[in-house]
Amino acid sequence: MTRAHLPGIIAMAAIVVASNILVQHLFGNWLTWGAFTYPLAFLVTDLMNRIYGAGPARTVVFIGFLVGIFCSLIGTQIMGEFGPLVTFRIAIGSGLAFLTAQLLDVGIFSALRDRVWWIAPLASTLIGSTVDTALFFSIAFSDTLGWIDPATDVAWANEVLPLLGMGPEVPLWVSLAVADWMVKLSLALIALIPFRLIVQRLERRAHMV
C-alpha cells in the first residue's frame, strides 16, 4: 500500500460509514437512503483495479470490510425503539455480502480488463451487486435462516405482501431486495460515466509526466 492508494481507501471507508448510517433512514416504501450510497463502493473498487491492479483493489476491499465490521459492532450497542440498531444477523449479512461481492468484483474485473473499456466495470459490478443483494437480504431477513440468531425477530420482514406493492405475493424482504437490486443495476450504468472520465484523466496525467 502506498500514498497513491489513500484516496481509494478514504473513499471506501467514507462510503461504508455513510451507508451504515443512511441505511437506517427510509426512502419511500421499499428503499433506504443507503441504497444510493453503497453501490459507489463498486465504483471505488473498479477504479482501484483499473489504475493500480487487483492487489491494491483487494486491500481497499479488506479495509472497507474492517470499517464495516467496526460500524456494525457500534450499531449492535446502540439501542433504538425496537432493539439494537444493527442486529447480529444484519451484521453477519452485511459483512459477508460486502466481502464476497467485492472480491468477486475484483476477480471478474481482472479477467475482463483487456476487453472494451466498459465491459469489465459493468460486468463485475452487475454480478457483484446481484450476489451482494442476494446474500445480505437472505441472511439478514429470511425466515428460513432464523437459526443464525433465533433471538432476532424478523417476522415483520416475512410478512407476505404483493411484490413492490403490485406483483405476486412474497415476503416483504424480497420486495426490499428487488428494489435495492434495481437501484444497484441503475447506478452501475450511471457509474460508467465517472469511471471513464476519471480513468481518462489519470491516463492523460500519466502521459504528461
Side-chain angles (χ1 to χ4, degrees):
M1 184 176 68
T2 67
R3 289 180 61 183
H5 303 153
L6 285 178
I9 292 172
I10 293 172
M12 180 65 82
I15 290 168
V16 170
V17 171
S19 298
N20 273 271
I21 295 172
L22 294 175
V23 75
Q24 302 172 50
H25 302 281
L26 289 174
F27 177 83
N29 294 325
W30 315 108
L31 292 168
T32 69
W33 282 101
F36 299 96
T37 56
Y38 177 77
L40 296 176
F42 290 97
L43 174 61
V44 173
T45 302
D46 290 346
L47 284 170
M48 291 295 297
N49 202 339
R50 172 60 72 189
I51 298 167
Y52 301 110
R58 291 191 184 95
T59 298
V60 169
V61 167
F62 282 118
I63 291 175
F65 172 73
L66 293 177
V67 171
I69 292 296
F70 178 73
C71 291
S72 294
L73 290 176
I74 293 176
T76 59
Q77 302 305 309
I78 300 176
M79 300 303 293
E81 182 180 357
F82 302 104
L85 293 181
V86 178
T87 66
F88 183 62
R89 286 185 63 171
I90 288 177
I92 292 178
S94 177
L96 184 59
F98 177 87
L99 190 61
T100 302
Q102 293 292 329
L103 291 179
L104 182 61
D105 180 282
V106 173
I108 294 172
F109 189 104
S110 298
L112 300 174
R113 67 184 307 120
D114 294 328
R115 305 283 186 91
V116 180
W117 72 267
W118 56 267
I119 292 180
L122 183 60
S124 61
T125 299
L126 290 181
I127 296 174
S129 295
T130 301
V131 170
D132 180 273
T133 300
L135 283 177
F136 172 71
F137 282 93
S138 59
I139 293 173
F141 301 118
S142 173
D143 195 40
T144 59
L145 296 179
W147 53 268
I148 294 177
D149 182 20
T152 299
D153 181 14
V154 293
W156 65 270
N158 288 274
E159 181 183 0
V160 177
L161 297 168
L163 178 65
L164 298 178
M166 56 185 176
E169 292 194 343
V170 295
L172 172 60
W173 70 266
V174 175
S175 289
L176 300 177
V178 170
D180 182 85
W181 180 68
M182 291 172 65
V183 170
K184 287 176 180 173
L185 297 193
S186 299
L187 291 181
L189 293 172
I190 296 172
L192 290 176
I193 299 174
F195 176 87
R196 183 60 168 170
L197 292 175
I198 293 172
V199 170
Q200 286 181 329
R201 181 176 181 179
L202 291 176
E203 288 177 343
R204 284 196 299 267
R205 182 181 299 177
H207 290 154
M208 294 173 61
V209 174

